[in-house]
């Protein structure tokens, strides 16, 4: 039998903000909430998600803070071939052309987007969504030729102090849409 929660106005506001934030990353149509008989984990204040993260989209939010616009612009030039390669070899358009493609990979990268902060032009976000962590991200994306080249170049920029990188990984819920 379920439990009822009595929340204060402040807790309701905080929960609403958390749900809106989670909803931003949601939207994988293949991921579904399981029935009440399946294995679930209770999250804060009654939001429930399955523990089977392999069936849900894997999300990375990578924040980069550059020391100069020159470093930022160099980064944008470095990541451009990666974005094009991801779209051509991992992205949703591959599904449409897979009949003529030699690749067995189909839509492992759901979205891959670079954004520049509207408040600080030295801040860049890379929002990455993969079909799953083990295949889509670790096996397919991280082994891409352009990604491997880019990774070495970004590491050099980081070691010279041109950028600070922070990131977080997430597993999508069914809340919201993308």
């Amino acid at each position: 039998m379920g439990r009822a929660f009595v929340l204060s106005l402040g807790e309701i506001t905080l929960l609403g903000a958390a749900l809106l934030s989670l909803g931003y990353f949601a939207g994988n149509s293949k991921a579904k909430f399981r029935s009440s008989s399946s294995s679930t984990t209770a999250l804060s204040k009654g939001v429930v998600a399955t523990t089977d993260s392999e069936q849900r989209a894997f999300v990375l939010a990578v924040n980069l803070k550059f020391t100069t616009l020159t470093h930022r612009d160099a980064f944008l030039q470095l990541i451009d071939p990666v974005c094009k390669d991801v779209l051509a070899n991992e992205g949703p358009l591959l599904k449409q052309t897979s009949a003529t493609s030699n690749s067995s990979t189909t839509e492992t990268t759901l979205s891959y987007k670079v954004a520049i902060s509207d408040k600080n032009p030295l801040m860049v976000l890379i929002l990455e969504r993969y079909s799953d962590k083990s295949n889509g991200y670790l096996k397919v994306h991280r082994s891409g030729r352009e990604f491997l080249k880019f990774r070495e170049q970004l590491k050099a920029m980081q070691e010279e102090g041109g950028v600070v990188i922070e990131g977080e990984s997430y597993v999508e819920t069914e809340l919201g849409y993308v």
Side-chain angles (χ1 to χ4, degrees):
M1 181 161 278
R3 293 176 48 191
F5 293 99
V6 178
L7 304 174
S8 70
L9 182 58
E11 290 173 320
I12 291 170
T13 303
L14 183 60
L15 180 59
L19 290 174
L20 286 172
S21 296
L22 285 171
Y24 178 79
F25 294 104
N28 180 8
S29 62
K30 297 176 188 171
K32 301 290 179 201
F33 276 106
R34 292 179 173 219
S35 68
S36 59
S37 62
S38 70
S39 171
T40 58
T41 302
L43 301 176
S44 69
K45 304 296 181 189
V47 177
V48 178
T50 69
T51 56
D52 187 5
S53 63
E54 285 303 309
Q55 300 220 353
R56 299 191 173 273
F58 179 70
V59 179
L60 288 177
V62 182
N63 291 290
L64 302 100
K65 184 169 185 178
F66 296 92
T67 54
T68 67
L69 287 175
T70 303
H71 285 107
R72 187 211 60 192
D73 293 345
F75 163 82
L76 293 174
Q77 288 181 337
L78 292 173
I79 199 165
D80 182 54
V82 177
C83 294
K84 290 174 181 170
D85 185 63
V86 166
L87 180 60
N89 296 303
E90 304 169 26
L93 293 180
L94 185 61
K95 184 185 287 184
Q96 298 169 359
T97 61
S98 61
T100 60
S101 173
N102 293 331
S103 174
S104 62
T105 306
T106 303
E107 196 179 23
T108 56
T109 302
L110 305 174
S111 57
Y112 195 85
K113 192 69 174 176
V114 177
I116 299 172
S117 170
D118 63 339
K119 296 179 180 110
N120 181 351
L122 297 176
M123 297 288 299
V124 172
L125 168 73
I126 307 171
L127 184 60
E128 308 172 38
R129 295 177 59 245
Y130 301 95
S131 57
D132 62 287
K133 183 177 182 179
S134 63
N135 183 53
Y137 173 63
L138 293 174
K139 184 178 177 186
V140 176
H141 178 70
R142 290 186 51 133
S143 66
R145 184 178 54 86
E146 290 296 332
F147 173 78
L148 292 172
K149 185 167 68 171
F150 163 78
R151 188 173 169 193
E152 290 302 313
Q153 295 166 324
L154 184 60
K155 183 178 177 184
M157 186 184 293
Q158 188 177 16
E159 288 173 352
E160 74 179 27
V163 63
V164 174
I165 304 170
E166 294 180 356
E168 199 62 51
S169 61
Y170 303 86
V171 177
E172 284 188 353
T173 69
E174 281 298 303
L175 302 171
Y177 70 94
V178 174

